[in-house]
């Protein structure tokens, strides 16, 4: 019988329910006086050392609405609010972390090598766009072969629709998706189906609307600049508490919500000269705080810093478990689309980069990238393949296109299927983007819910981004780009689940189920024994590679892939036990868009 559990993260920040009421606490070193506004009354808080203000109020219970009033009269929400029922500018709500009773007492997570990730946006994943509605699709994911879902950021953002990267209250699940208890129910239900839940978190910036922190705390520093302006203060005066705020947030999601891991967005945009820096300190705090659970920490990092992914002598991650491998995506994308603008130009016509990314992890390991005009990366061959996450689509690579087209809309079906066959059976951890498994027709354009001058700036900025591309030199063409602030842009991104059972979509879904079943049986059991320097590759011809990975027991996994629309006669002869074949890949040559996987020993 399931055990009835509650969980809470003991925070230095925010509110804490006591036997008699609620303790309120705010770090506001810029102010000598802070007033707590609770329900319809106001009370002066007590100023403590270190810039803290605190007050215990008897008789207050969960559900009470509150906020803080600064000396100039500005009303602000709690930066550690657990819930914002009236959005980012409204009052915070006292939440009882013990209100939800968990049923997953035996859950300790899953080994990383078993991971098949599925990235989803809660608002666009179902017609309802809520945590509770997502529960109804978990059986589909379990049947597909998904073992982990990766939620795009859910931290409270302004309005009712957003990708999630404009969050300003990092502890509060956005009310558009439901209450905190609803998110917990989704995670609980996923665990009941042996599916892990990973949350995308943003520690490199705050959104432009609703972030009040700078009004009362040194949250930013001019020592560093980022694409969003002044950097979050991780290494200037006051940074100790800022660092604690961020590390508390990471542990909050893992402890109070029982998340199985976090994906840290764009860590290359985090500036910190402290040693250990915030990334290393955060990972150490999480590892120390979860000794009895499998917790997986994932990076998005354009710098390709292999040191962040280092392993101990037993092969366990010292800090971060894996990184999104953009190199594999880019190399496969240019092969199937022939696009060469922007960063794709560094991969177009360079088949060796695909082979190296598959065999060694990073394609750039210190070489200069023309798009950046600077060196990128570090040697990564000593890392196991499972330190990298491979994919052919994700929210960025789809949504950062002008119209948000999916890969199946811009490349031939057989080309997409060949690219998918490479990532889904490779020793790296595969990731799908929601709807990919049935070649969903819905785009995933950028969307948000700003108003006024900010909305106009975002709208114009979005169109200006594409002005440098030849197809958008004409202003009339740029006007065709969907307005990111329009509700229709968001609505267009919502998955239409009925499609999955019809025609070509059903064929795609069957294909994904079958190939993921092969991964589960043939690949996953061997990954625990796959160490560093396991892969080697050969460029057979243009867009044609042969890659081999050697297991510690002497067995070997072979890939031969011809990612072009003409045959390749120089491919290595088929050998070993075939486990998957795509296209005409059984003979001594490889037909157009063909992939052959085989096992030896």
């Amino acid at each position: 019988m399931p055990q009835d559990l509650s969980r809470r993260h003991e925070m230095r920040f925010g509110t804490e329910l006591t036997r008699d009421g609620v303790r309120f606490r705010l770090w506001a070193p810029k102010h000598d006086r802070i007033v707590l506004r609770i329900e319809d009354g106001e009370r002066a808080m007590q100023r403590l050392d270190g810039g803290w203000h605190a007050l215990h109020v008897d008789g207050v219970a969960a559900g009470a609405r509150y906020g803080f009033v600064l000396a100039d009269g500005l009303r602000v929400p709690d930066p550690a609010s657990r819930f914002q029922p009236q959005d980012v500018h409204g009052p915070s709500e006292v939440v009882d972390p013990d209100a939800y009773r968990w049923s997953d007492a035996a859950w300790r997570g899953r080994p990383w090598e078993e991971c098949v990730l599925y990235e989803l946006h809660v608002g666009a994943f179902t017609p309802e766009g809520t945590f509770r509605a997502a529960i109804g699709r978990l059986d589909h994911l379990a049947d597909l072969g998904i073992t982990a879902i990766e939620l795009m950021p859910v931290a409270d953002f302004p309005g009712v629709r957003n990708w999630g990267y404009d969050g300003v209250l990092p502890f509060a699940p956005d009310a558009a998706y439901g209450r905190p208890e609803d998110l917990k129910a989704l995670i609980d239900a996923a665990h009941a189906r042996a599916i892990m839940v990973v949350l995308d978190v943003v520690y490199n910036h705050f959104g432009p609307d609703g972030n009040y922190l700078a009004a009362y705390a040194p949250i930013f520093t001019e020592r560093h600049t980022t694409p969003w302006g002044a950097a979050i203060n991780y290494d200037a005066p006051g940074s100790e508490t800022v660092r604690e705020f961020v590390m508390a947030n990471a542990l909050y999601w893992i402890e109070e919500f029982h998340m199985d891991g976090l994906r840290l967005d764009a860590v290359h945009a985090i500036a910190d000269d402290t040693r250990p820096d915030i990334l290393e300190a955060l990972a150490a705090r999480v590892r120390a705080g979860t000794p009895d659970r499998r917790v997986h920490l994932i990076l998005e990092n354009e710098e390709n810093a292999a040191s962040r992914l280092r392993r101990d002598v037993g092969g366990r991650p010292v800090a971060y478990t894996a990184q999104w491998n953009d190199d594999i995506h880019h190399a496969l994308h240019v092969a199937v689309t022939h696009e060469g603008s922007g960063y794709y130009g560094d991969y177009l016509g360079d088949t060796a980069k695909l082979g190296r990314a598959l065999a060694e992890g990073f394609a750039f390991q210190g070489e200069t990238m023309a798009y950046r005009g600077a060196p990128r990366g570090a040697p990564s061959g000593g890392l196991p393949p499972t330190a990298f996450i491979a994919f052919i689509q994700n929210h960025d690579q789809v949504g950062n296109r002008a119209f948000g087209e999916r890969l199946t809309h811009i490349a031939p079906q057989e080309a997409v299927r060949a690219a998918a066959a490479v990532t889904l059976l490779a020793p790296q951890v595969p990731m799908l983007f929601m709807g990919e498994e049935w070649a969903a027709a819905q785009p995933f354009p950028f969307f948000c819910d700003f108003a006024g001058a900010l909305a106009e700036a975002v709208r114009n900025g979005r169109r200006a981004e594409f002005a440098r591309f030849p197809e958008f030199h004409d202003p009339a063409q740029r006007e065709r780009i969907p307005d990111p602030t329009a509700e229709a842009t968001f609505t267009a991104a919502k998955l239409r689940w009925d499609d999955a059972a019809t025609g070509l979509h059903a064929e795609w879904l069957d294909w994904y189920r079958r190939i993921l079943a092969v991964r589960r049986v043939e690949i996953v059991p061997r990954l625990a024994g796959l160490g560093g320097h396991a892969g080697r590759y050969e460029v057979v011809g243009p867009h044609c590679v042969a890659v081999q990975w050697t297991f510690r027991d002497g067995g070997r996994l072979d890939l031969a892939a011809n990612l072009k629309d003409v045959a390749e006669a120089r491919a290595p002869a088929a050998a070993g036990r075939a486990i998957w074949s795509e296209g005409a890949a059984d003979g001594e040559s490889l037909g157009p868009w063909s992939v052959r996987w085989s096992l030896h020993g």
Side-chain angles (χ1 to χ4, degrees):
M1 182 175 180
Q3 295 186 38
D4 194 19
L5 299 174
S6 63
R7 295 187 177 92
R8 71 165 63 207
H9 171 67
E10 298 296 336
M11 285 198 299
R12 187 182 179 190
F13 304 87
T15 62
E16 180 183 7
L17 283 165
T18 69
R19 288 183 301 175
D20 306 318
V22 176
R23 180 221 69 185
F24 297 89
R25 193 173 172 93
L26 179 70
W27 185 58
K30 293 184 178 181
H31 292 267
D32 293 327
R33 183 176 183 272
I34 295 291
V35 171
L36 170 68
R37 182 177 180 85
I38 181 163
E39 301 297 342
D40 295 326
E42 294 187 351
R43 305 175 184 222
M45 301 182 74
Q46 181 183 1
R47 181 174 172 83
L48 307 177
D49 292 340
W52 288 93
H53 301 256
L55 185 67
H56 186 279
V57 183
D58 293 341
V60 176
R65 307 285 175 87
Y66 71 99
F68 304 106
V69 184
L70 307 184
D72 60 1
L74 179 65
R75 296 182 181 181
V76 300
D78 184 351
S81 168
R82 282 180 165 93
F83 189 53
Q84 292 290 121
Q86 297 175 28
D87 209 7
V88 298
H89 301 291
S92 304
E93 179 181 313
V94 176
V95 169
D96 180 2
D98 295 329
Y100 182 82
R101 313 303 294 184
W102 293 81
S103 60
D104 64 349
W107 178 258
R108 294 294 181 271
R110 298 184 65 154
W112 180 244
E113 60 265 20
E114 296 178 0
C115 189
V116 177
L117 276 166
Y118 187 94
E119 187 191 23
L120 67 89
H121 181 278
V122 174
F125 184 55
T126 64
E128 301 87 348
T130 65
F131 297 128
R132 293 278 180 178
I135 294 173
R137 299 299 176 181
L138 290 176
D139 287 337
H140 163 89
L141 298 181
D143 182 60
L144 175 62
I146 299 302
T147 61
I149 57 175
E150 183 177 304
L151 305 179
M152 289 177 65
V154 301
D156 202 40
F157 51 77
V160 296
R161 55 188 182 273
N162 196 284
W163 268 20
Y165 300 95
D166 293 309
V168 292
L169 294 168
F171 293 83
D174 196 273
Y177 304 148
R179 294 186 56 83
E181 297 82 7
D182 298 324
L183 175 54
K184 293 175 183 179
L186 170 60
I187 298 165
D188 209 4
H191 291 169
R193 294 161 174 81
I195 296 175
M196 298 182 286
V197 183
V198 174
L199 179 65
D200 197 339
V201 291
V202 183
Y203 297 144
N204 52 46
H205 76 289
F206 288 91
D209 181 19
N211 174 29
Y212 293 99
L213 276 162
Y216 52 83
I219 191 67
F220 297 112
T221 174
E222 297 290 343
R223 290 184 61 181
H224 308 285
T225 58
T226 73
W228 307 278
I232 294 179
N233 178 17
Y234 291 123
D235 61 3
S239 62
E240 296 85 357
T241 307
V242 176
R243 292 163 72 93
E244 285 295 322
F245 183 77
V246 168
M247 288 188 281
N249 182 255
L251 283 170
Y252 164 79
W253 291 117
I254 291 168
E255 293 176 354
E256 196 161 300
F257 285 79
H258 218 203
M259 292 286 182
D260 298 282
L262 304 173
R263 181 260 191 189
L264 277 64
D265 175 65
V267 300
H268 51 271
I270 293 176
D272 182 8
D273 294 332
T274 310
R275 293 295 176 266
D277 66 14
I278 184 61
L279 292 176
E280 189 172 345
L282 184 150
R285 182 76 64 85
V286 169
R287 299 293 179 201
T290 55
D292 61 341
R293 289 177 55 196
R294 295 184 179 97
V295 173
H296 308 300
L297 298 177
I298 300 168
L299 294 174
E300 179 193 22
N301 188 2
E302 287 184 1
E303 299 298 332
N304 281 5
S307 61
R308 301 280 189 198
L309 306 172
R310 65 190 184 279
R311 265 53 180 169
D312 64 17
V313 292
R316 296 176 297 270
V318 173
Y320 290 89
T321 312
Q323 178 182 316
W324 276 19
N325 195 344
D326 285 341
D327 283 343
I328 280 188
H329 170 272
H330 298 347
L332 289 170
H333 186 91
V334 300
V336 302
T337 67
H338 304 295
E339 293 180 346
S341 58
Y343 45 71
Y344 289 138
D346 280 281
Y347 301 83
L348 187 64
D350 191 345
T351 307
K353 285 191 171 61
L354 172 60
R356 193 183 200 190
L358 286 165
E360 301 177 17
F362 294 138
F364 284 90
Q365 300 184 23
E367 298 83 5
T368 295
M369 187 175 188
Y371 177 74
R372 292 161 53 100
R376 179 184 182 219
S380 57
L383 295 168
T386 50
F388 306 91
I389 296 171
F391 48 88
I392 60 170
Q393 299 183 79
N394 64 28
H395 77 271
D396 271 332
Q397 303 304 334
V398 175
N400 285 339
R401 301 182 66 84
F403 299 100
E405 311 101 316
R406 292 170 178 264
L407 191 57
T408 42
H409 284 201
I410 58 176
Q413 173 179 311
E414 59 271 24
V416 178
R417 193 162 288 187
V422 171
T423 60
L424 296 177
L425 294 182
Q428 300 190 13
V429 169
M431 182 175 74
L432 287 66
F433 182 58
M434 63 177 196
E436 174 185 328
E437 70 272 25
W438 76 76
Q442 292 73 55
F444 191 76
F446 176 66
F447 51 80
C448 57
D449 189 16
F450 298 137
L454 179 57
E456 186 66 18
V458 169
R459 189 179 303 117
N460 293 337
R462 176 73 174 169
R463 288 167 178 165
E465 281 182 38
F466 294 96
R468 57 193 174 93
F469 296 98
E471 61 268 37
F472 294 109
H473 284 173
D474 183 352
Q477 289 297 97
R478 294 199 294 275
E479 288 298 315
R480 296 178 52 244
I481 296 174
D483 176 0
T485 68
E487 184 177 1
T489 303
F490 168 59
T491 302
K494 283 181 173 282
L495 292 181
R496 292 198 285 271
W497 283 85
D498 289 346
D499 291 350
T502 63
L504 187 59
H505 298 297
E507 293 178 20
W508 271 101
L509 181 56
D510 176 68
W511 184 89
Y512 267 85
R513 284 174 175 157
R514 288 187 290 110
I515 195 169
L516 287 176
V518 170
R519 178 181 185 84
R520 181 171 61 252
V521 172
E522 301 285 8
I523 306 299
V524 169
R526 295 172 167 86
L527 293 182
L530 197 58
H533 297 292
R536 60 189 183 90
Y537 71 95
E538 175 189 358
V539 175
V540 178
H543 298 299
C544 185
V545 294
V547 190
Q548 296 179 347
W549 296 268
T550 302
F551 303 109
R552 287 176 179 167
D553 63 3
R556 197 180 79 210
L557 175 67
D558 283 8
L559 164 68
N562 180 33
L563 302 177
K564 59 180 182 291
D565 58 4
V566 295
E568 178 57 66
R570 292 172 291 170
R577 177 171 62 87
I579 61 171
W580 190 268
S581 181
E582 199 65 42
D586 297 327
E588 294 185 359
S589 66
L590 290 173
W593 305 117
S594 60
V595 175
R596 183 178 68 224
W597 285 100
S598 56
L599 282 168
H600 302 252

